[in-house]
Amino acid sequence: MLAGALAAASVALVALIASVAIVVNTPRQETPTGGADLSTFYDSGLYARPNPAEIDLVDHPLYDVAMPEPIDCPLPALRTGSDDSWEAFANEAGVCLNELWAPVMDELRLVPDLPEITVTDEPLDTDTEDSFTLAYYESDRGLITVVLPNVRQVGEQIPEAHQEDVWLALMGHEYAHHVQYATGILSVSHDLRRTAGSEDDELDTLRRTELQAECMAGAGLRGLTDPGGDALDVVNLHFNGGGDLDTHGTAANRALWLEAGYSSATVGGCNTYGADENEVT
């Protein structure tokens, strides 16, 4: 009897395993979704890279935008002998310039990464006795660097009361290169210089680029300093009252474009690429 019971139990277990196997191995009927096959609406052409935008240096949409309105953005006092004070001043100037130029970027529907700002106490190997790099912008790194040894050397000739306005203009000039990069202008300018047929053509493009940045620096001065003050005259006296530069234009033209940025109603006042040659020498 025991053997018979075990046999019956074995048969029952085998039957149970078989039934489980049948359930597991039976193909399930897919539940219809009832929706459209969206894959038929896909356009494979959308995977292709878009054609690069055509940037017209003379007729750029940027020139139709209103100049930035003045904002209330106090800057920390600058102690020119202190690295920490210089770094704080430069970074806060960057914050203010970001805020100042934001409406222009919004109008153009651009959302560029904001530049970082740093200072260095190392002089540049490329500097000569007659030329000092006070600050520079690196578009590939999104970085503005202030070269403190050179700034301090030039600053020895500037009264203490004028230092902040002068160095704010310097920051505004370098930030303007960021505006040029964000709008595609700087990249086209680099291409034109690289493919220039002569040194004169290359310098012409470079001067137009630098003088446009000087013009935008004027917009920065107007937007971040006392409108009843003498910041424009101070900067022209110390930056644009000296010698002529092959790369940045004559002293007279540097002053011309700084004033244009300070007083123009639209960014079109800074259209150096469409200016007569005598205005960009």
Side-chain angles (χ1 to χ4, degrees), residues 90-102:
N91 275 280
E92 194 59 32
V95 170
C96 292
L97 288 163
N98 285 333
E99 182 180 346
L100 181 73
W101 283 98

Side-chain angles (χ1 to χ4, degrees), residues 192-194 196-207:
L192 289 175
R193 289 171 54 198
R194 186 170 55 250
S198 68
E199 183 179 1
D200 286 345
D201 288 344
E202 181 181 358
L203 284 173
D204 178 75
T205 300
L206 178 57
R207 282 194 300 271

Side-chain angles (χ1 to χ4, degrees), residues 56-73:
D56 189 333
L57 296 183
V58 177
D59 188 20
H60 195 289
L62 171 65
Y63 304 143
D64 295 327
V65 181
M67 276 294 192
E69 291 292 332
I71 61 172
D72 183 16
C73 190

Side-chain angles (χ1 to χ4, degrees), residues 151-276:
V151 162
R152 287 182 174 133
Q153 184 169 342
V154 172
E156 291 174 359
Q157 312 302 320
I158 301 173
E160 191 65 30
H162 294 170
Q163 295 269 350
E164 292 178 12
D165 286 341
V166 168
W167 301 128
L168 175 59
L170 174 68
M171 298 304 301
H173 180 104
E174 298 307 323
Y175 194 93
H177 287 315
H178 170 67
V179 174
Q180 290 173 321
Y181 177 69
T183 54
I185 290 173
L186 192 61
S187 298
V188 175
S189 170
H190 287 332
D191 289 342
L192 289 175
R193 289 171 54 198
R194 186 170 55 250
T195 59
S198 68
E199 183 179 1
D200 286 345
D201 288 344
E202 181 181 358
L203 284 173
D204 178 75
T205 300
L206 178 57
R207 282 194 300 271
R208 291 177 189 272
T209 303
E210 293 295 343
L211 288 169
Q212 183 174 79
E214 191 68 2
C215 183
M216 292 180 180
L221 275 181
R222 181 181 70 174
L224 298 176
T225 61
D226 180 2
D230 58 355
L232 179 64
D233 293 335
V234 163
V235 175
N236 269 332
L237 173 65
H238 296 292
F239 264 179
N240 299 329
D244 301 337
L245 300 171
D246 288 340
T247 56
H248 288 63
T250 64
N253 279 336
R254 295 197 304 272
L256 170 74
W257 288 106
L258 186 75
E259 293 168 12
Y262 194 92
S263 60
S264 294
T266 68
V267 187
C270 293
N271 185 3
T272 55
Y273 296 100
D276 292 339

Side-chain angles (χ1 to χ4, degrees), residues 91 98 112-118 136-145 174-175 177-178 181-182 186:
N91 275 280
N98 285 333
D113 292 333
L114 299 180
E116 296 183 24
I117 297 175
T118 188
Y136 56 93
Y137 171 69
E138 298 173 274
S139 59
D140 58 335
R141 301 177 63 190
L143 182 66
I144 295 172
T145 302
E174 298 307 323
Y175 194 93
H177 287 315
H178 170 67
Y181 177 69
L186 192 61

